[in-house]
Amino acid sequence: MLPTPSQTVGPFYGYALPFPGGGEIAPAGHRDTVAVHGRVLDGAGEAIPDALLEVWQPAPDGSRTGAPGSLRRDPVTGGFAGRDGVTFTGFGRVATDADGHYSLRTLAPGGVPYLSVCLFARGLLHHLFTRIYLPGADLAADPLLASLEPGRRGTLLAAEEAPGTYRFDLRLQGPEETVFLDFN
Amino acid sequence: MPPTQQSISEEIAREHEAYARAGSVRHHPDRGYAPYRSSLLRHPRQPLVAVRDPEAVELSGPAFGVTDVTELDGDLTRRHTGEPLGERIVVTGRVLDRAGRPVRGQLVEIWQANASGRYAHQRDQHPAPLDPNFTGAGRQLTDDQGTYRFTTVKPGAYPWRNHTNAWRPAHIHFSLFGTAFTQRLVTQMYFPGDPLLPYDPILQSVTDDAARARLVATYDHDLSVPEQSLGYRWDIVLDGPAATWIEEGR
Ligand SMILES: [Fe+2]
């Protein structure tokens, strides 16, 4: 069957798609929590204040089944109840702020340590996929990283700013344009 | 000076001609489609890097369940104490993969303007009235046949600043998940017979006529409820790597 075409997320998704705790993928207070943050920038180097990032990743044990409960609802008020603080769903969703900044708190995935990112924004007619690679011994063996020339490979590597805090910027266009991926 | 509708319409026509001349089928918009001006600095110029790794994490995807929705989330007309203004509609259809298999138990989210063409969003400064009884967001899990069903009001057209006298046709924004993250889709559903469709660079960014037609719902009289609501049917087919729809049982 022929696919339904993509259309931009537009500027007004803010009351529908983001949810409380969207960037809090790690169970509350988990001692192995890492923070991943950065900015989303356009071709002029300006902040994109209306981008939406989704993250999907394996659990620390490498399992890829995920779990429901990322956007738990409160049946009493009809609002959001928040995550249960225990379950690792593997899914996160955050909007950028006025400065184009996002932040996530998660647990490093098992296997090759990368977070899969799906990026949406006003002005972007079709979402973009990329990956945030956290530092780790397994990176040398990763087929995607191995296929990239060093300059471009660096756009997929998160930088460790402090123990457990990683920086990853996304540049939609320009000389340091992030590597975006095609799976079809 | 912002461009006129006429110059944008001429650009749209040129893009359609260039697509027809190129002779290959393209289902999704070109991210660099220039008549939609916001795309100019927001699309990559480097080619996408192909990933054909059968172990890619993106071939799996997030799971959602009964805790992620409430029963009322499918009815956008019952989220407040009063009744919203506007023409009541039901929008339903099936979410399928490219092999035609239903996408079961997955999350469908929608958002839209109210009947006057105004979003419940601070940045929407269109001077049409807000409706205290309508927010315009809903979500649902697909059933075993891949079916979703929303009750809402028909959204109004609204102006935007892409060019002078730019108007978005009435549309409902949809967000969909498949079984693989690669099948992720955010799109917009349009209404049949809307006179604004040919003028809109966002819809027209889908330069393939047949693909563009797949974004327009069908009016279905059998779905209309007497004395209550009009019915529209819109099926959605999620794209994804060939491996997720050619190989059965994956
Ligand atoms: Fe819209």
Side-chain angles (χ1 to χ4, degrees):
Chain A
M1 299 186 79
L2 298 175
T4 303
S6 169
Q7 294 270 270
T8 179
V9 75
F12 298 135
Y13 59 80
Y15 62 89
L17 297 183
F19 51 89
E24 304 294 319
I25 308 172
H30 197 292
R31 64 193 164 100
D32 298 329
T33 298
V34 297
V36 180
H37 75 113
R39 295 177 77 208
V40 184
L41 303 167
D42 72 11
E46 299 291 327
I48 298 187
D50 44 13
L52 185 75
L53 270 86
E54 286 183 351
V55 168
W56 165 242
Q57 63 162 96
D61 67 3
S63 99
R64 299 177 176 190
T65 57
S70 297
L71 51 154
R72 275 193 332 139
R73 307 283 291 165
D74 181 342
V76 178
T77 64
F80 285 99
R83 297 175 190 259
D84 67 9
V86 179
T87 307
F88 187 85
T89 70
F91 177 68
R93 180 188 273 171
V94 283
T96 51
D97 64 18
D99 198 30
H101 188 258
Y102 74 91
S103 67
L104 304 159
R105 290 157 56 79
T106 189
L107 301 178
V112 181
Y114 64 85
L115 316 181
S116 301
V117 175
C118 188
L119 176 71
F120 304 91
R122 179 180 66 83
L124 192 55
L125 284 160
H126 192 182
H127 57 258
L128 287 165
F129 286 110
T130 188
R131 288 178 177 174
I132 302 173
Y133 283 84
L134 303 177
D138 300 333
L139 294 192
D142 183 71
L144 170 61
L145 290 181
S147 74
L148 298 170
E149 49 112 343
R152 301 219 71 210
R153 186 187 305 144
T155 71
L156 299 186
L157 304 178
E160 188 163 13
E161 289 185 324
T165 301
Y166 301 98
R167 171 85 187 206
F168 187 88
D169 293 337
L170 292 96
R171 293 181 174 83
L172 264 62
Q173 202 182 80
E176 295 173 274
E177 188 176 298
T178 301
V179 168
F180 294 104
L181 307 175
D182 164 54
F183 292 96
N184 287 349
Chain B
M1 262 263 297
T4 61
Q5 178 69 54
Q6 191 190 336
S7 70
I8 290 291
S9 290
E10 285 164 7
E11 285 183 40
I12 288 171
R14 280 199 296 277
E15 294 282 351
H16 285 180
E17 285 160 22
Y19 172 76
R21 265 200 313 277
S24 61
V25 176
R26 177 179 185 111
H27 298 297
H28 296 287
D30 175 356
R31 294 180 181 86
Y33 185 78
Y36 175 38
R37 291 293 193 259
S38 306
S39 72
L40 295 181
L41 292 169
R42 293 186 171 196
H43 73 278
R45 294 191 188 278
Q46 302 270 358
L48 303 185
V49 174
V51 176
R52 300 291 179 268
D53 177 5
E55 297 302 314
V57 166
E58 293 84 356
L59 298 176
S60 58
F64 301 94
V66 291
T67 60
D68 293 309
V69 295
T70 70
E71 271 176 35
L72 277 175
D73 288 343
D75 188 342
L76 285 67
T77 69
R78 293 172 64 198
R79 306 290 300 161
H80 297 273
T81 50
E83 299 261 320
L85 294 169
E87 181 185 322
R88 233 166 222 65
I89 61 173
V90 166
V91 178
T92 183
R94 295 176 74 205
V95 183
L96 305 168
D97 69 13
R98 289 201 60 176
R101 295 172 298 201
V103 173
R104 300 187 173 99
Q106 272 297 353
L107 183 67
V108 180
E109 295 162 285
I110 67 169
W111 67 105
Q112 62 167 92
N114 69 23
S116 303
R118 178 91 180 259
Y119 283 91
H121 190 296
Q122 184 174 274
R123 277 193 53 199
D124 183 0
Q125 289 298 308
H126 173 36
L130 286 166
D131 183 341
N133 292 313
F134 191 75
T135 303
R139 60 190 68 72
Q140 217 177 38
L141 298 180
T142 54
D143 70 12
D144 273 354
Q145 281 73 50
T147 304
Y148 71 86
R149 182 187 180 93
F150 290 103
T151 300
T152 183
V153 298
K154 190 175 179 187
Y158 61 85
W160 60 310
R161 303 246 167 96
N162 189 67
H163 53 278
T164 301
N165 208 13
W167 290 84
R168 294 298 327 279
H171 59 273
I172 299 177
H173 295 266
F174 272 73
S175 162
L176 303 124
F177 290 84
T179 51
F181 203 41
T182 54
Q183 291 174 294
R184 192 78 181 86
L185 177 68
V186 164
T187 187
Q188 303 182 24
M189 184 207 94
Y190 299 86
F191 290 86
D194 190 325
L196 292 169
L197 298 181
Y199 298 96
D200 179 39
I202 293 182
L203 173 60
Q204 299 299 326
S205 70
V206 181
T207 46
D208 185 89
D209 293 345
R212 200 165 58 252
R214 294 198 291 276
L215 290 177
V216 183
T218 305
Y219 171 70
D220 185 340
H221 198 67
D222 290 335
L223 277 177
S224 293
V225 181
E227 318 292 325
Q228 195 173 323
S229 57
L230 295 179
Y232 290 90
R233 187 171 296 281
W234 192 50
D235 292 337
I236 298 156
V237 178
L238 302 183
D239 211 345
T244 61
W245 55 277
I246 288 174
E247 294 170 29
E248 280 293 330
R250 209 200 135 80

